[in-house]
Amino acid sequence: DTGVSQDPRHKITKRGQNVTFRCDPISEHNRLYWYRQTLGQGPEFLTYFQNEAQLEKSRLLSDRFSAERPKGSFSTLEIQRTEQGDSAMYLCASSPSGSQSGGQFFGPGTRLTVL
Amino acid sequence: DQQVKQNSPSLSVQEGRISILNCDYTNSMFDYFLWYKKYPAEGPTFLISISSIKDKNEDGRFTVFLNKSAKHLSLHIVPSQPGDSAVYFCAASDVRGANSKLTFGKGITLSVRP
């Protein structure tokens, strides 16, 4: 296990369609995070999990967005009825829960384009 | 409402010289600060962090300075190398530390000229 992986790396969809992204964290990490990054901006926090429990959700995460981590390992982020404003890079990160000094380890991201 | 501000969008320095990247924050609840580096088509990579109880943390060529009263931190890279050319993000979290919600700045694009 060399790092956080995300699938797919790119997704093009039409407005109104549903999309689902997957994130596989580093295996020993029990915390998993989702961020969104648009052009010219830094990553914006969406939500994070400790094991299977969703600990915090941003107000950015509208009702059309849902994230799950059913077995405390991989996570999925689903966007329903996509809008053009959802076009962004969706980043996943993981970390251990105990360490306060280390950073979160990011995956390469899934780039979503909504036509 | 930008709580973490990186006001200079870009910086260009000569190889071997010092790079100084600045970051300001407005939220007094921030207690922990991190710098990330990002290359194109890759996710951000953690560089260095600092807790609010310190004013300096050093790791090899990278040093982060924190001025809590001014709500300002800076990343020094000495000496700068062409491979340091990337986008650098400043990030902050509250007392929960690095393994909770991070708030990022917009990033600074560093170019190191050979």
Side-chain angles (χ1 to χ4, degrees), chain B residues 22-53:
Chain B
N22 293 307
C23 177
D24 298 289
Y25 62 96
T26 58
N27 189 339
S28 58
M29 299 300 291
F30 286 150
D31 200 57
Y32 202 83
F33 305 89
L34 307 92
W35 284 93
Y36 281 82
K37 177 170 74 173
K38 186 180 184 303
Y39 293 119
E42 295 182 9
T45 301
F46 170 71
L47 265 180
I48 191 168
S49 62
I50 188 166
S51 165
S52 62
I53 63 173

Side-chain angles (χ1 to χ4, degrees), chain A residues 31 56 95-96 99-102 104, chain B residues 32 36 43 49 96 98-100:
Chain A
R31 288 208 170 174
E56 186 174 350
S95 75
S99 169
Q100 293 297 304
S101 61
Q104 298 171 16
Chain B
Y32 202 83
Y36 281 82
S49 62
R96 293 173 293 174
N99 300 323
S100 63

Side-chain angles (χ1 to χ4, degrees), chain A:
Chain A
D1 189 334
T2 56
V4 178
S5 62
Q6 293 187 244
D7 183 69
R9 295 290 305 274
H10 304 273
K11 178 70 177 179
I12 300 174
T13 191
K14 292 182 179 178
R15 185 163 50 95
Q17 297 294 304
N18 299 345
V19 294
T20 301
F21 309 142
R22 176 180 170 124
C23 171
D24 287 89
I26 294 171
S27 57
E28 61 267 28
H29 288 176
N30 56 4
R31 288 208 170 174
L32 186 148
Y33 313 79
W34 285 100
Y35 292 84
R36 180 174 70 185
Q37 185 178 15
T38 53
L39 196 62
Q41 303 293 318
E44 293 177 291
F45 171 81
L46 293 178
T47 187
Y48 82 103
F49 294 83
Q50 175 156 316
N51 301 315
E52 64 275 9
Q54 191 170 20
L55 296 188
E56 186 174 350
K57 286 169 52 173
S58 166
R59 288 171 296 172
L60 291 175
L61 214 64
S62 76
D63 291 345
R64 297 185 298 105
F65 288 70
S66 63
E68 294 183 343
R69 196 183 182 197
K71 297 181 181 179
S73 56
F74 73 91
S75 175
T76 57
L77 177 68
E78 181 183 17
I79 309 174
Q80 296 182 328
R81 304 181 304 281
T82 52
E83 302 173 355
Q84 289 185 324
D86 298 331
S87 296
M89 176 74 82
Y90 289 84
L91 294 163
C92 176
S94 71
S95 75
S97 59
S99 169
Q100 293 297 304
S101 61
Q104 298 171 16
F105 294 80
F106 282 82
T110 294
R111 180 168 295 283
L112 173 65
T113 301
V114 181
L115 302 176

Side-chain angles (χ1 to χ4, degrees), chain B residues 60-82:
Chain B
R61 296 186 298 113
F62 301 92
T63 303
V64 55
F65 296 91
L66 175 63
N67 183 334
K68 200 173 178 184
S69 61
K71 294 189 175 69
H72 176 83
L73 60 154
S74 60
L75 175 68
H76 292 210
I77 306 173
V78 183
S80 300
Q81 300 173 353

Side-chain angles (χ1 to χ4, degrees), chain A residues 37 40-42, chain B residues 5-12 19-24 35-38 72-75 77 84-90 105-111:
Chain A
Q37 185 178 15
Q41 303 293 318
Chain B
K5 301 179 182 180
Q6 296 178 261
N7 292 321
S8 301
S10 62
L11 175 67
S12 180
S19 295
I20 300 177
L21 288 71
N22 293 307
C23 177
D24 298 289
W35 284 93
Y36 281 82
K37 177 170 74 173
K38 186 180 184 303
H72 176 83
L73 60 154
S74 60
L75 175 68
I77 306 173
D84 295 330
S85 297
V87 179
Y88 288 78
F89 292 101
C90 173
K106 290 185 177 183
I108 300 172
T109 299
L110 174 65
S111 299

